[in-house]
Amino acid sequence: MPEPRRAALVTGSTSGIGLAIAQRLARSGYKVTLNYATDDSLAAEALNLCREAGLDTVLVKADISTADGCHPPRWTVTNRAFGVIGDGHLG
């Protein structure tokens, strides 16, 4: 039986503690989605840091404090990169 794929969604993961958690999970074998809401420049920098370190990460801009931010189409990139979790719907 194949080993299950482990994936993590880390909110607020483009700086500080959130970024450190995302990097730690990625180093532990998780496929990590970096989630952010506003700062595109900081998010791009965080993604570059992870990729330069060879970490398996993708980036999704979504304000999850709103219903629209949790709407499934926002998460298409994660589903394509890591496979659909459950039925692909969040919430």
Side-chain angles (χ1 to χ4, degrees):
M1 188 166 174
E3 185 175 322
R5 294 170 66 169
R6 300 183 306 170
L9 165 64
V10 183
T11 61
S13 57
T14 57
S15 66
I17 293 171
L19 179 57
I21 290 168
Q23 290 173 324
R24 176 69 182 255
L25 287 167
R27 285 188 189 101
S28 297
Y30 284 78
K31 296 176 178 288
V32 176
T33 298
L34 305 174
N35 168 243
Y36 74 106
T38 57
D39 192 332
D40 295 326
S41 176
L42 186 61
E45 190 176 313
L47 182 62
N48 285 336
L49 281 173
C50 290
R51 289 192 172 160
E52 286 173 2
L55 304 177
D56 197 358
T57 55
V58 295
L59 185 64
V60 173
K61 182 177 184 175
D63 180 354
I64 62 167
S65 69
T66 67
D68 185 50
C70 294
H71 195 267
R74 294 264 188 196
W75 301 96
T76 301
V77 67
T78 299
N79 289 341
R80 270 193 240 132
F82 301 147
V84 175
I85 299 170
D87 65 0
H89 295 273
L90 301 175

